[in-house]
């Protein structure tokens, strides 16, 4: 089982008028080996690249909707 951080986090972010994007399902799907520094939890350069890779399609869709 996984902890559901998505629902409360999305609700809080959207309640304050911000767009919510998540990469958590993508990270959980591939495990993202090498994405975090051991014992630290911060993203490595590989992790930052993965965030960009996962987030880009959602951002492109969202941004194209703004200009229609």
């Amino acid at each position: 089982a996984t902890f559901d951080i998505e629902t409360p986090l999305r609700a809080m972010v959207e309640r304050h008028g911000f767009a919510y994007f998540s990469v958590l399902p993508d990270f959980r799907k591939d495990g993202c080996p090498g994405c975090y520094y051991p014992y630290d939890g911060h993203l490595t350069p590989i992790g930052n690249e993965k965030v960009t890779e996962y987030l880009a399609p959602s951002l492109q869709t969202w941004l194209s909707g703004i200009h229609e």
Side-chain angles (χ1 to χ4, degrees):
T2 57
F3 178 71
D4 178 19
I5 189 65
E6 297 285 336
T7 303
L9 187 57
R10 176 184 293 274
M12 180 180 64
V13 168
E14 290 178 346
R15 183 174 51 245
H16 292 284
F18 294 97
Y20 180 79
F21 300 97
S22 176
V23 296
L24 185 57
D26 296 303
F27 272 75
R28 284 184 172 159
K29 185 172 29 177
D30 77 3
C32 204
C35 287
Y36 298 96
Y37 289 106
Y39 310 110
D40 181 82
H42 286 90
L43 291 169
T44 62
I46 293 169
N48 283 301
E49 288 176 23
K50 288 285 190 175
V51 168
T52 303
E53 175 186 323
Y54 296 149
L55 204 51
S58 296
L59 286 174
Q60 289 171 337
T61 301
W62 181 72
L63 288 170
S64 67
I66 291 175
H67 299 292
E68 290 180 356

